[in-house]
Amino acid sequence: MKGQQREEQGLGPEPAAPPQPTEEEEALIEFHRSYRDLFQFFCNNTTIHGAIRLVCSQHNRMKTAFWAVLWLCAFGMMYWQFGQLFGEYFSYPVSLNINLNSDKLVFPAVTICNLNPYRYTQIKEELEELDRITEQTLYDLYKYNSSNTLGAQPRGRRDLRETWPHPLERLAVPAPPSRARPARSAASIVRDNNPQVNWKDWKIGFQLCNQNKSDCFYQTYSSGVDAVREWYRFHYINILSRLGDTSPSPGEDMLDNFIFACRFNQASCNQANYSHFHHPMYGNCYTFNGKNNSNLWMSSMPGIKNGLSLTLRTEQNDFIPLLSTVTGARVMVHGQDEPAFMDDGGFNLRPGVETSISMRKEALDRLGGNYGDCTKNGSDVPVENLYLSKYTQQVCIRSCFQENMIKECGCAYIFYPLPKNVEFCDYRKHNSWGYCYYKLQDAFSSDRLGCFTKCRKPCSVTGYKLSAGYSRWPSVTSQDWIFRMLSRQNNYTISNKRNGVAKLNIFFKELKYKTNSESPSVTMVTLLSNLGSQWSLWFGSSVLSVVEMAEFVFDLLVITFLMLLRRFRSRYWSPGRGGRGAQEVASTPASSLPSHFCPYSTSLSSPPPGPATFSALTAPPPAYATLGPCPSPSSLVRTDYSAYTLEEPCVRRSVSPIHPRQALPPVGGDQAWQDERKFGDFLSELPHCLWCGGGKQGGQGATEIAQ
């Protein structure tokens, strides 16, 4: 009832006293007031060893300085060790693991060539013409007459020079460097063909020029044998390029003409176990147990009886003497998905000898990505695989050279696969391809083409380590009946005897094989373990201590931000805030004032003020710090706010607001200084103008001031 009566009189409900905060109450988020408090709290409560010494020895400056220096040195050493560990991790080191396994093994592919490029009927006449020109050249240069061997009549040099380009010449100058130089005159060439000098002062070579004959050079050799073979090989390539297909006639690729006997694991071979292809230099080649074999051979037992055994024919009845200067056979062991590069990994078999090749399998698995520069399948290598087989580094290098050959010379090299819509090089169609090829070969050897850089190593490699043993075959006591059997069964000519046959055995030495695999030397687990060891060594702490450090840094940043924000507000907002508020209140009509602004009256029961009273509002008010109710000192402690009366705005003379950043002199000790500082902060947050009256805000403000 009393409250309703007060509302009817316009005084409003009696305000409740604000709750008094206790020491135990805490806000949801609180921060330390200064850096010193934060530092002391961290050092007193952290689990990092040695930090508490920085505050417990604060009354002894020497100890404090000692522990501070020691703590900082330990901190620096720890992070130096961290840098070393991270540097080792990001260098991506690898460890090599060697594993020995034993299991049934797939027998590798074996390719055998007869070293006899047969004379094709399509180019037989051109090869005979080339032989006659070579014979005449040998006679002119070395006075060697091979007419009885080759069956040709010497012809004049002029006729030869008109028929075949790039004649072989003798030069009386030192070997020129491998670079282009101007073409020599015809008179000097004629003089050099019959020099009267020592053999050390001249070389043999042939001239190559570009398309418009503006740049020429001599491809020279110090050995006449090498010069003749290379010159003959150059013309032989041009002759082969004119064929649409480099395969020999069907009668020349029969296995019986080359291999007398074939057995694997004590079982005879058949036609399904091999495939045939022709090599321009090594002749007819046969691949046993290749990828075209329907059932790959498996080796379950080591030893010579559980491998491949071949009896080969090495006769030289139809050899090209100037192109093939060796006899026997060429053998290469490789994987099923790899092409047979007879120049790179092959070896020769000697006639009249039994060659036993023992194998041992080895596998290598490399780590790709950041740990090594290798490729899994060659899909990320910028070179097209022309062999259509498994990616190997040699496949990529040869494909790269062929691409550059087509790009620079306009034709393809016959020893490498032929891409679509491209022709093999022939000087009848491409008269300067030899000049381009030898220039390109020099750039390729010095890696100016970038093929060795582009072609990365494969991540997975399987190889076979070979060791050979030789013995005479057949023996003196058994050769008669062996040759007799070969002549009856395989049409072998007995007169050839030992130089016409050879035997080959290829087998696994043991079924154990070695696998070399790479693994990361420093993993993420190893890195974290090493970091934790260093952290424990220098500070004796754990992961939670790292979280404490992070919390300390976060609090430090927040306190810095709040201090900067308070300085910014005190500099740009506080000084003019009260003046602007007082001017707004002074210029506002009384009718538009809120209900908690009371009229000027002498008592609570007096009538509302007249027009003369409202004229007082037009006067300039004092500064915002001086506006407010001015009750008597005795009324500040009263609980009945209805007794307050105001006749006019008055000036507070008892207290004045204190800015939060303004220092107050200590009056009653530290506690008095803190109370005065809090009181000043509170006054600075009061409204700009406080008008007394029966309003709710006015009474509440007076209550807070009294408290």
Side-chain angles (χ1 to χ4, degrees):
M1 298 295 294
K2 183 177 180 180
Q4 294 179 358
Q5 182 179 1
R6 291 177 60 86
E7 290 180 359
E8 292 177 357
Q9 295 177 358
L11 297 178
E14 182 178 358
Q20 297 292 332
T22 61
E23 295 182 357
E24 291 78 6
E25 293 186 29
E26 292 184 358
L28 181 62
I29 299 177
E30 289 186 354
F31 296 97
H32 297 276
R33 291 183 175 272
S34 63
Y35 295 125
R36 183 182 183 87
D37 295 343
L38 175 63
F39 183 73
Q40 289 182 350
F41 175 81
F42 175 77
C43 292
N44 289 326
N45 297 277
T46 186
T47 58
I48 299 177
H49 292 187
I52 195 173
R53 293 287 184 176
L54 300 177
V55 294
C56 69
S57 303
Q58 59 183 351
H59 299 293
N60 191 330
R61 293 184 178 181
M62 185 176 67
K63 285 188 177 181
T64 303
F66 170 76
W67 280 101
V69 172
L70 186 61
W71 199 84
L72 292 177
C73 290
F75 193 81
M77 287 296 298
M78 182 190 69
Y79 276 95
W80 177 74
Q81 290 290 335
F82 281 4
Q84 297 290 325
L85 294 176
F86 278 108
E88 182 183 6
Y89 175 77
F90 286 108
S91 64
Y92 301 105
V94 296
S95 299
L96 185 63
N97 304 320
I98 300 177
N99 300 321
L100 294 177
N101 305 308
S102 180
D103 198 0
K104 294 177 61 176
L105 298 178
V106 178
F107 199 81
V110 179
T111 300
I112 303 176
C113 300
N114 60 4
L115 294 178
N116 185 12
Y118 288 105
R119 298 177 183 272
Y120 306 143
T121 56
Q122 300 92 330
I123 57 174
K124 186 176 181 180
E125 294 182 358
E126 295 190 50
L127 287 177
E128 291 177 352
E129 181 69 15
L130 178 59
D131 290 341
R132 287 193 294 268
I133 295 174
T134 306
E135 176 192 6
Q136 183 64 42
T137 303
L138 291 175
Y139 180 80
D140 293 340
L141 297 178
Y142 296 98
K143 304 304 179 182
Y144 171 73
N145 187 2
S146 60
S147 58
N148 295 330
T149 304
L150 298 176
Q153 297 296 329
R155 298 190 298 172
R157 293 289 294 172
R158 181 176 300 177
D159 188 16
L160 296 177
R161 192 174 290 134
E162 292 175 356
T163 305
W164 294 86
H166 314 289
L168 194 63
E169 302 168 356
R170 184 168 60 185
L171 307 174
V173 293
S178 179
R179 63 175 183 271
R181 62 185 182 90
R184 304 176 62 194
S185 62
S188 62
I189 294 175
V190 174
R191 290 194 302 268
D192 291 338
N193 285 334
N194 296 289
Q196 300 296 327
V197 293
N198 190 6
W199 65 273
K200 295 182 179 179
D201 298 332
W202 51 268
K203 294 182 180 297
I204 303 296
F206 52 97
Q207 189 185 58
L208 298 167
C209 298
N210 59 357
Q211 185 73 24
N212 54 9
K213 309 295 181 181
S214 61
D215 189 13
C216 300
F217 71 95
Y218 282 95
Q219 184 71 17
T220 60
Y221 301 87
S222 59
S223 172
V225 176
D226 295 337
V228 172
R229 292 188 68 245
E230 183 66 23
W231 179 80
Y232 191 98
R233 180 174 177 270
F234 175 72
H235 288 285
Y236 175 72
I237 290 174
N238 287 274
I239 294 174
L240 291 181
S241 301
R242 298 164 198 167
L243 297 177
D245 185 9
T246 58
S247 300
S249 59
E252 295 177 342
D253 62 349
M254 294 181 63
L255 184 66
D256 296 339
N257 294 335
F258 176 48
I259 298 177
F260 290 155
C262 173
R263 294 180 65 84
F264 176 77
N265 200 12
Q266 302 300 319
S268 299
C269 306
N270 53 43
Q271 191 175 0
N273 298 131
Y274 73 93
S275 59
H276 169 264
F277 69 94
H278 186 268
H279 193 277
M281 298 301 297
Y282 297 104
N284 289 322
C285 300
Y286 303 89
T287 300
F288 292 88
N289 198 38
K291 62 180 180 180
N292 296 327
N293 193 1
S294 57
N295 296 321
L296 295 179
W297 291 340
M298 300 292 295
S299 292
S300 57
M301 291 291 292
I304 192 171
K305 293 184 178 181
N306 299 289
L308 178 63
S309 178
L310 300 172
T311 302
L312 308 176
R313 180 178 182 176
T314 58
E315 289 181 318
Q316 307 175 44
N317 295 334
D318 202 22
F319 270 40
I320 301 177
L322 297 173
L323 183 63
S324 180
T325 59
V326 296
T327 183
R330 186 81 171 176
V331 181
M332 180 179 178
V333 179
H334 56 92
Q336 275 78 17
D337 295 331
E338 300 176 5
F341 296 130
M342 308 304 295
D343 292 331
D344 300 339
F347 56 92
N348 293 336
L349 298 180
R350 180 182 176 184
V353 173
E354 180 179 7
T355 305
S356 298
I357 306 296
S358 61
M359 301 182 300
R360 179 178 294 175
K361 182 180 176 181
E362 292 185 357
L364 175 61
D365 295 329
R366 300 185 180 95
L367 288 176
N370 296 324
Y371 292 95
D373 187 17
C374 69
T375 177
K376 293 184 178 180
N377 54 9
S379 59
D380 53 348
V381 176
V383 177
E384 182 183 0
N385 187 354
L386 301 179
Y387 287 86
L388 302 178
S389 63
K390 178 183 178 181
Y391 176 87
T392 62
Q393 195 169 21
Q394 288 298 323
V395 166
C396 178
I397 290 174
R398 292 171 181 260
S399 300
C400 178
F401 180 82
Q402 187 75 305
E403 288 183 358
N404 286 273
M405 184 75 183
I406 297 172
K407 180 180 178 182
E408 299 294 335
C409 305
C411 58
Y413 192 50
I414 195 172
F415 287 170
Y416 300 152
L418 180 67
K420 296 181 179 179
N421 303 323
V422 181
E423 296 180 342
F424 284 124
C425 294
D426 180 12
Y427 51 59
R428 292 186 179 181
K429 299 179 181 180
H430 317 88
N431 56 359
S432 62
W433 82 266
Y435 170 88
C436 180
Y437 166 75
Y438 286 103
K439 288 284 188 181
L440 197 66
Q441 184 69 26
D442 180 68
F444 173 77
S445 302
S446 58
D447 198 23
R448 293 198 299 270
L449 299 181
C451 292
F452 296 95
T453 304
K454 296 178 184 177
C455 297
R456 296 182 290 168
K457 297 175 293 185
C459 293
S460 180
V461 179
T462 300
Y464 299 91
K465 187 177 181 180
L466 308 179
S467 57
Y470 305 94
S471 62
R472 183 175 179 177
W473 184 87
S475 63
V476 177
T477 58
S478 62
Q479 63 182 0
D480 292 337
W481 73 269
I482 290 178
F483 289 148
R484 178 67 63 177
M485 296 294 294
L486 292 176
S487 64
R488 293 293 183 90
Q489 185 175 358
N490 303 101
N491 297 324
Y492 178 71
T493 305
I494 301 178
S495 60
N496 292 331
K497 293 187 178 180
R498 188 177 306 280
N499 294 331
V501 292
K503 195 169 183 179
L504 173 65
N505 300 313
I506 300 179
F507 56 92
F508 278 110
K509 184 178 181 179
E510 56 184 9
L511 295 182
K512 295 180 181 179
Y513 63 96
K514 183 172 61 175
T515 302
N516 301 321
S517 60
E518 294 180 349
S519 61
S521 179
V522 181
T523 61
M524 181 60 67
V525 176
T526 307
L527 176 64
L528 293 178
S529 177
N530 294 335
L531 293 178
S533 299
Q534 293 297 324
W535 184 272
S536 300
L537 173 65
W538 296 104
F539 287 102
S541 51
S542 62
V543 176
L544 298 180
S545 303
V546 179
V547 179
E548 293 177 1
M549 288 286 296
E551 182 187 16
F552 173 75
V553 174
F554 176 76
D555 292 345
L556 189 67
L557 294 177
V558 171
I559 292 176
T560 303
F561 173 76
L562 293 178
M563 293 181 66
L564 294 176
L565 182 62
R566 178 177 296 180
R567 179 175 297 180
F568 181 80
R569 291 183 59 184
S570 63
R571 179 175 298 178
Y572 296 102
W573 291 355
S574 298
R577 181 177 176 181
R580 288 194 301 269
Q583 292 177 5
E584 292 175 0
V585 173
S587 59
T588 302
S591 60
S592 62
L593 290 175
S595 60
H596 62 269
F597 285 97
C598 61
Y600 294 95
S601 59
T602 57
S603 65
L604 295 175
S605 60
S606 61
T613 309
F614 287 102
S615 62
L617 293 175
T618 61
Y624 81 96
T626 60
L627 289 178
C630 188
S632 60
S634 60
S635 63
L636 290 176
V637 297
R638 296 179 57 184
T639 60
D640 189 5
Y641 298 102
S642 61
Y644 291 145
T645 59
L646 282 177
E647 296 180 357
E648 60 179 2
C650 59
V651 179
R652 292 198 299 264
R653 294 183 176 88
S654 59
V655 292
S656 61
I658 302 174
H659 196 271
R661 305 294 295 176
Q662 183 177 355
L664 294 177
V667 178
D670 293 340
Q671 184 64 33
W673 160 251
Q674 293 182 3
D675 294 340
E676 291 175 3
R677 183 177 180 180
K678 292 181 180 179
F679 184 65
D681 292 341
F682 168 74
L683 291 180
S684 64
E685 295 177 358
L686 290 177
H688 297 168
C689 296
L690 291 177
W691 300 88
C692 63
K696 181 179 179 180
Q697 295 182 3
Q700 184 177 357
T703 305
E704 293 175 352
I705 293 175
Q707 294 176 353

